[in-house]
């Protein structure tokens, strides 16, 4: 086996694609989800039972549940993939403080706490990789997605800063920044809106979750160890 991978947000389209690819690559999986247990169960049925170490449910917008989640991590973790999250659409002036708090906790505080919990063992072993799935909007921003853009930008900054801090300990930290990927997160768009977006993308199509999963696999490969603190754009040359 290639090692134990904790996938945060494993029930999303990108999370499932990552889990499937890494299982095929020979990794053992620890899968986190919040609401979509059915998706996890459907995926788990296809897996070799030796590949799946545990499945843990937790609402990572909740401080108490974050701590409970950490207490349930009884297996060693060699790699962390932060593939979870939630978007929020609307004018910034209409956003409530509760939404702000939820988005900050889910995308920033929870990854901080999970990394803080697991990082000491990686440093001690002089081995480990942490990968964030961030967003194009974390770099350039998006109207009507101000809070989402902000927290994804925070993830990018965290990756760059932590990578410098832990590089001497041979722990790598990187991010993958997708553009428009064909997932349920984009179901709020009408067909005309999707067509207009795709028309702006030089490669003239939406990206696929499997392409994000392939990039994760590439970063986990030992041949990629010299890549450190990078935000890798996977966006078809959009923006």
């Amino acid at each position: 086996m290639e090692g134990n991978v904790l996938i945060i947000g494993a029930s999303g389209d990108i999370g499932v694609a990552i889990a499937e690819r890494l299982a095929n690559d020979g990794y053992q999986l620890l899968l986190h989800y919040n609401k979509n247990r059915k998706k996890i169960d459907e995926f788990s049925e296809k897996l070799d039972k030796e590949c799946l170490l545990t499945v843990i449910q937790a609402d990572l917008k909740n401080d108490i549940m974050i701590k409970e989640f950490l207490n349930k991590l009884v297996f060693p973790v060699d790699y962390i993939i932060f593939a979870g999250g939630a978007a929020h659409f609307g004018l910034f002036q209409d956003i409530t403080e509760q939404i702000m708090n939820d988005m900050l906790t889910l995308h920033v505080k929870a990854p901080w706490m999970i990394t803080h919990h697991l990082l000491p063992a990686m440093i001690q072993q002089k081995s480990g990789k942490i990968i964030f799935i961030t967003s194009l909007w974390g770099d350039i921003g998006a109207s009507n997605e101000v809070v989402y853009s902000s927290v994804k930008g925070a993830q990018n900054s965290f990756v760059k800063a932590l990578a410098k801090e832990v590089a001497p300990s041979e722990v790598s930290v990187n991010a993958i920044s997708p553009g428009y990927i064909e997932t349920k997160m984009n179901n709020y768009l009408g067909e005309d809106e999707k067509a207009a977006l795709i028309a702006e993308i030089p490669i003239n199509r939406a990206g696929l979750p499997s392409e994000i999963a392939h990039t994760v696999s590439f970063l986990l490969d030992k041949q990629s160890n010299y890549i450190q603190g990078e935000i890798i754009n996977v966006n078809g040359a959009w923006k």
Side-chain angles (χ1 to χ4, degrees), residues 43-150:
F43 169 70
S44 300
E45 288 175 3
K46 303 174 187 177
L47 279 180
D48 183 330
K49 298 306 179 186
E50 293 183 0
C51 288
L52 183 59
L53 295 178
T54 189
V55 175
I56 306 174
Q57 187 278 331
D59 180 357
L60 298 181
K61 299 189 302 296
N62 183 295
D63 285 352
I64 294 174
M65 289 202 72
I66 293 171
K67 292 175 182 177
E68 290 177 355
F69 171 76
L70 296 177
N71 288 332
K72 293 176 183 177
L73 289 175
V74 296
F75 292 97
V77 174
D78 303 299
Y79 313 104
I80 314 170
I81 315 296
F82 289 103
H88 184 273
F89 309 97
L91 293 172
F92 180 72
Q93 67 198 40
D94 295 333
I95 292 175
T96 65
E97 184 177 358
Q98 184 61 55
I99 291 171
M100 293 180 187
N101 288 335
D102 287 348
M103 293 289 282
L104 275 168
T105 302
L106 177 61
H107 295 96
V108 182
K109 186 175 182 180
W112 278 351
M113 292 183 68
I114 292 166
T115 302
H116 187 267
H117 181 77
L118 297 173
L119 187 60
M122 292 182 177
I123 291 172
Q124 185 176 19
Q125 295 167 9
K126 284 191 168 293
S127 175
K129 298 196 176 192
I130 301 167
I131 301 172
F132 278 76
I133 310 301
T134 63
S135 170
L136 172 71
W137 303 141
D139 180 35
I140 65 173
S143 175
N144 293 308
E145 294 187 60
V146 173
V147 171
Y148 182 74
S149 299
S150 299

